[in-house]
Amino acid sequence: MALASAEDLRHAIPDIAGRSPISEAASTDDRIASLEKLIAQNPKSVAYQNQLAAAYMQKVRETVDFGYLDRAERILNRVLAADDGNYEALRMREVVELERHHFQAAADFADTLVRLHPGDPWSYGILGDASMEMGRYQRAAAAYQQMLVRRPDQSSLNRAAWYEFVTG
């Protein structure tokens, strides 16, 4: 469970990437092509850059080609270089670190974002996932509990079930 699920990312994309003129029914490839064109027309659009990074991260799930993760990371680094407090880019940074199995880095990012926005369940899920991977089960339980309180849905319930399965 080191990777955020494709469903989690699809649900997070509107939250982390803002509104998009691109149809939600568009394929990931079409979404990427459209966003690249939009960015070429408006290179300073942080919203489009965040959306493109999210689309690249979805493409990793579809192809298992981690070159797309590198592309997403480069975009996020540019966004964060221009605005180190860009919350959407920071949230996606957590996922990049988690997918690279840099669990401590993912947990550190999640801890920071939990302090900045304690009402957002996303980072609690990332913190719990990273903690599980590092064998820090008490910390994972606390993070998953906070996620459940804030968003009692399939994503948080699956994580709680996974925790119960692993820890017995």
Side-chain angles (χ1 to χ4, degrees):
M1 180 94 178
L3 299 176
S5 73
E7 181 178 335
D8 284 344
L9 191 57
R10 273 194 301 279
H11 289 301
I13 288 173
D15 294 336
I16 62 180
R19 291 269 185 225
S20 175
I22 302 163
S23 166
E24 286 189 33
S27 72
T28 304
D29 289 333
D30 289 343
R31 182 176 280 291
I32 289 170
S34 295
L35 287 164
E36 287 173 342
K37 287 177 187 173
L38 288 168
I39 290 169
Q41 295 167 0
N42 188 359
K44 293 188 181 200
S45 172
V46 174
Y48 291 153
Q49 290 178 54
N50 282 337
Q51 290 175 41
L52 181 58
Y56 282 149
M57 289 168 31
Q58 176 58 34
K59 192 68 177 170
V60 172
R61 287 172 178 76
E62 294 173 6
T63 64
V64 194
D65 179 349
F66 283 86
Y68 288 105
L69 192 62
D70 295 335
R71 292 178 191 180
E73 185 175 36
R74 282 192 297 273
I75 292 168
L76 296 173
N77 287 341
R78 280 195 308 269
V79 169
L80 291 169
D83 176 8
D84 64 355
N86 184 286
Y87 188 61
E88 294 80 16
L90 290 169
R91 285 178 88 201
M92 285 189 278
R93 221 18 242 246
E94 294 173 313
V95 177
V96 168
E97 296 303 335
L98 197 63
E99 290 195 11
R100 291 194 186 285
H101 291 198
H102 298 163
F103 302 122
Q104 186 60 57
D108 292 344
F109 274 112
D111 276 332
T112 299
L113 293 182
V114 161
R115 283 191 300 277
L116 290 172
H117 297 280
D120 184 358
W122 176 265
S123 293
Y124 288 104
I126 299 295
L127 179 58
D129 295 349
S131 297
M132 287 292 289
E133 293 295 339
M134 294 186 291
R136 297 177 184 161
Y137 300 123
Q138 294 287 343
R139 187 175 191 204
Y144 290 152
Q145 179 61 39
Q146 291 301 315
M147 183 182 189
L148 274 164
V149 166
R150 286 159 179 78
R151 186 178 70 192
D153 65 0
Q154 185 175 0
S155 177
S156 56
L157 292 169
N158 282 343
R159 285 175 162 109
W162 181 53
Y163 169 82
E164 290 296 324
F165 175 77
V166 170
T167 62

